Amino acid sequence: MKKSVTFKNGHLKMAGNLYLPEGFDESKKYSGIVVVHPGGGVKEQTAGVYAQKLSDNGFAALAFDASHQGESEGEPRLLEDPDARVEDVRCAVDYLTTLPYIDQEKIGALGICAGGGYAAAAAPTERRIKAVATVSAVDIGAMFRGEGSIETQLQTLEAVAKQRTAEANGTEANFLTYAPDTLEEIDENTPVLMREAFDYYRTPRAQHPNSPNRFLFTSVDKLMAFSASSQISTYLTQPMLLIVGTEADTRGYSEQFNELSNGPKELFWVEGATHIAMYDILEYVDQAVTKLTEFFGKNL
């Protein structure tokens, strides 16, 4: 059963889909899982796939749109602000605690791609999250800093600063794309991740009108300042499960999170899967869901 729900993040109204188990009984208590979507995604895409499957296995799972994105409120639109995204996770937990059929001591978090980084960043200091899992985790801050020189990174930040000044003085907003927008933008030099991102986000496979493949260029300073892993070794004592495909070009982030954690942890490999194959290809998703069900069942 899927219910459209709203909850508050400060003055913003957040939009979510709450997936409840078959035979749901409001008089009973259920474990709740907050599901955090990738950068540029919305609740109807891979977050909804995982939330639905977790509910099929007895959990109450909440997939929601990030603030400033999808059906959730927030101006300016299409802002990708890591601090706001982490606060979204906390507010989703707030909401679950208000539901009489959710056991407040049995709340977990699952994040996919950048959502995995946001979940891993929230959990160390959000102690109501009793277990955290990721699928194809990405530290979006590290990704945006990249492997270039500090000089190159500073040039990017200077460009963002100039754009902020321009917009403050009336210039229209400037947007970047998460993935190639058209097939013509893809050639033999396009990385596998970007090829797959185009196929997922920009074709009928998972295209959604609320996921326009755009984010504000002025998000970049916030992204570059963010670290998903900074508190993992210090405060993350909750159990952590990191699921990643053996062929994922982002696998290093899951390996890093696993190495940093001093708490109970497991790095689970899905043989043959790439980063985005874990979003919706059932052969791989079902392996992940089986493992997630075992993990949350044991730790919630």
Side-chain angles (χ1 to χ4, degrees):
M1 179 171 67
K2 181 176 76 171
K3 293 174 57 177
S4 294
V5 300
T6 61
F7 57 95
K8 298 298 287 185
N9 179 347
H11 66 281
L12 302 180
K13 184 166 72 173
M14 304 287 290
N17 287 328
L18 180 62
Y19 294 79
L20 297 169
E22 186 175 353
F24 170 72
D25 182 345
E26 194 162 339
S27 68
K28 294 183 178 179
K29 292 284 189 180
Y30 296 86
S31 298
I33 301 172
V34 170
V35 185
V36 191
H37 66 65
V42 288
K43 63 186 179 300
E44 291 84 3
Q45 295 169 327
T46 183
V49 171
Y50 276 89
Q52 174 66 69
K53 286 183 172 290
L54 286 168
S55 75
D56 290 343
N57 288 324
F59 301 96
L62 173 65
F64 62 94
D65 288 333
S67 52
H68 304 268
Q69 300 173 33
E71 294 181 312
S72 290
E73 292 182 344
E75 296 290 340
R77 300 305 296 165
L78 301 179
L79 178 69
E80 184 72 21
D81 180 348
D83 290 336
R85 291 276 254 135
V86 171
E87 183 63 17
D88 292 343
V89 177
R90 298 181 188 279
C91 292
V93 174
D94 287 344
Y95 172 68
L96 288 184
T97 68
T98 69
L99 301 176
Y101 46 84
I102 298 295
D103 187 330
Q104 295 183 3
E105 297 302 315
K106 294 185 176 182
I107 293 175
L110 165 65
I112 303 150
C113 187
Y118 295 137
T125 55
E126 179 47 86
R127 306 306 296 182
R128 295 173 300 175
I129 295 175
K130 303 304 183 185
V132 59
T134 68
V135 172
S136 297
V138 164
D139 181 338
I140 198 170
M143 178 174 278
F144 269 81
R145 288 187 293 275
E147 298 177 357
S149 66
I150 297 298
E151 181 182 1
T152 299
Q153 294 174 39
L154 287 171
Q155 288 172 354
T156 299
L157 291 169
E158 291 286 355
V160 175
K162 289 178 181 178
Q163 181 63 27
R164 283 189 65 120
T165 296
E167 290 180 21
N169 286 275
T171 299
E172 288 189 2
N174 183 21
F175 293 88
L176 300 178
T177 59
Y178 287 96
D181 222 22
T182 65
L183 193 58
E184 288 70 32
E185 295 176 39
I186 297 174
D187 59 28
E188 65 275 6
N189 298 315
T190 304
V192 170
L193 178 60
M194 291 295 100
R195 291 173 183 268
E196 292 190 332
F198 168 80
D199 187 62
Y200 183 82
Y201 287 109
R202 308 310 296 160
T203 74
R205 174 178 170 186
Q207 194 169 23
H208 192 279
N210 290 340
S211 174
N213 194 36
R214 299 280 188 279
F215 69 102
L216 285 168
F217 178 53
T218 49
S219 304
V220 171
D221 55 355
K222 301 165 191 63
L223 291 164
M224 289 180 65
F226 175 69
S227 170
S229 62
S230 62
Q231 300 302 329
I232 289 177
S233 62
T234 308
Y235 295 134
L236 184 64
T237 58
Q238 305 99 310
M240 178 170 63
L241 170 66
L242 302 146
I243 299 176
V244 62
T246 58
E247 305 307 307
D249 38 12
T250 55
R251 55 186 281 170
Y253 296 114
S254 296
E255 292 174 314
Q256 180 196 32
F257 292 179
N258 185 63
E259 184 176 341
L260 286 170
S261 174
N262 293 311
K265 59 189 178 181
E266 181 177 359
L267 182 60
F268 181 78
W269 296 100
V270 179
E271 189 66 36
T274 59
H275 177 96
I276 284 177
M278 294 301 305
Y279 285 20
D280 65 339
I281 295 179
L282 292 183
E283 173 188 355
Y284 304 126
V285 171
D286 285 347
Q287 291 180 58
V289 171
T290 297
K291 188 65 181 179
L292 289 164
T293 299
E294 173 191 313
F295 171 75
F296 285 125
K298 175 183 177 183
N299 292 296
L300 294 181

